[in-house]
Amino acid sequence: MRPQVTMKGLYFQQSSTNEEITFVFQERENLPVTEDNFVKLQVKACALSQINMKLLAEMKMEKDFFPVGREIAGIVLDVGSKVSFFQPDDEVVGILPLDSEDPGLCEVVRIHEHYLVHKPEKVTWTEAAGTIRDGVRAYTALHYLSHLSPGKSVLIMDGASAFGTIAIQLAHHRGAKVISTACSLEDKQYLERLRPSVARVIDISNGKVHVAESCLEETGGLGVDIVLDAGVRLYSKDDEPAVKLQLLPHKHDIITLLGVGGHWVTTEENLQLDPPDSHWLFLKGATVAFLNDEIWNLSNVQQGKYLCILKDVMEKLSTGVFRPQLDEPILLYEAKVSMEVVQKNQGRKKQVVQF
């Protein structure tokens, strides 16, 4: 009999109150034989992203120990009998589905072939894993939700974040005029160095600059065609936490700066619009869309489109259109502490674990 090989994988455990989560390493037995459309992968890099606890609860996907790490790049070790796109030794990249039993933060995983694409030769493991999800989010926001086209004006909030950077680069590639906000002097300097250059960088770090006024000034009073927010304030200043107050625009600001026929793509899942807000949007013929990049995971109908997005993200990474904001790679044993930072949304650059 072959001896069972054990590997360590990172999981999280929820407290009984569901408020706090703890990250723990668990021993895993060697994976079973690869079946049907599944691929066995040796993980070479895995990016860290915040876990949406609320979504997991709503999808009834809670369990004692939940696998951590989904954006992976690696080498195919074995393929199931029905796999048609990959063979052993292929270099691939993809995103593990929400219901995956395997953590990406482990040496070997199983994944359905429909969640993978080939990794271009000139793209590094860390670049592939560190860009794939933000690339999918940017495509979802700018192509599928707001129909970006050349000549459009786009406001990308918090453009110096890992996701904001990729969104700016995709918008520039499509010929859009980009305006962005900066949450610190460091972010402002980073955005001003970007090439192609951002049309205007709005420094909101001191809380005194009015985003709507700046955007209307930049667009000659017409307003912007597309807004991609990084969260919004829903209430008056007296009812919001101080930190949120300073860095996020009020929903009324967003509506004010939207142009006629504009698209507001929001990451605020609990957005509340009052009747006057809706009426104002109606008068502008504007639309509001919610950015949830998990829709590609939740719908089998969209699988063909999803694979096209994954391939396009890798192609743009290999040609230099995408230049991700990556932190220095870390090792697996450091992932527990790093995930705690990521989960609290305290990191700026994308953190990637290298194996």
Side-chain angles (χ1 to χ4, degrees), residues 41-48 68-75 91-96 103-109 111 116 119 123-132 317 326-332 335 350-355:
L41 204 64
Q42 179 188 353
V43 179
K44 301 296 284 184
C46 177
L48 308 184
V68 177
R70 293 173 55 202
E71 302 113 276
I72 56 172
I75 300 172
E91 298 186 351
V92 297
V93 57
I95 303 175
L96 286 163
L105 288 166
C106 187
E107 291 171 22
V108 179
V109 300
I111 179 172
L116 292 171
K119 179 185 79 67
V123 172
T124 67
W125 299 114
T126 52
E127 286 172 341
T131 309
I132 192 71
L317 188 56
L326 303 180
D327 218 331
E328 286 297 314
I330 59 170
L331 298 175
L332 181 59
K350 196 75 168 179
Q351 189 73 74
V352 181
V353 175
Q354 199 167 19
F355 290 79

Side-chain angles (χ1 to χ4, degrees), residues 123-164:
V123 172
T124 67
W125 299 114
T126 52
E127 286 172 341
T131 309
I132 192 71
R133 186 165 184 180
D134 285 332
V136 169
R137 291 193 81 206
Y139 263 81
T140 305
L142 296 176
H143 282 274
Y144 290 95
L145 298 179
S146 57
H147 313 293
L148 178 70
S149 58
K152 297 279 188 183
S153 56
V154 185
L155 169 64
I156 295 172
M157 307 293 292
D158 194 14
S161 66
F163 167 59

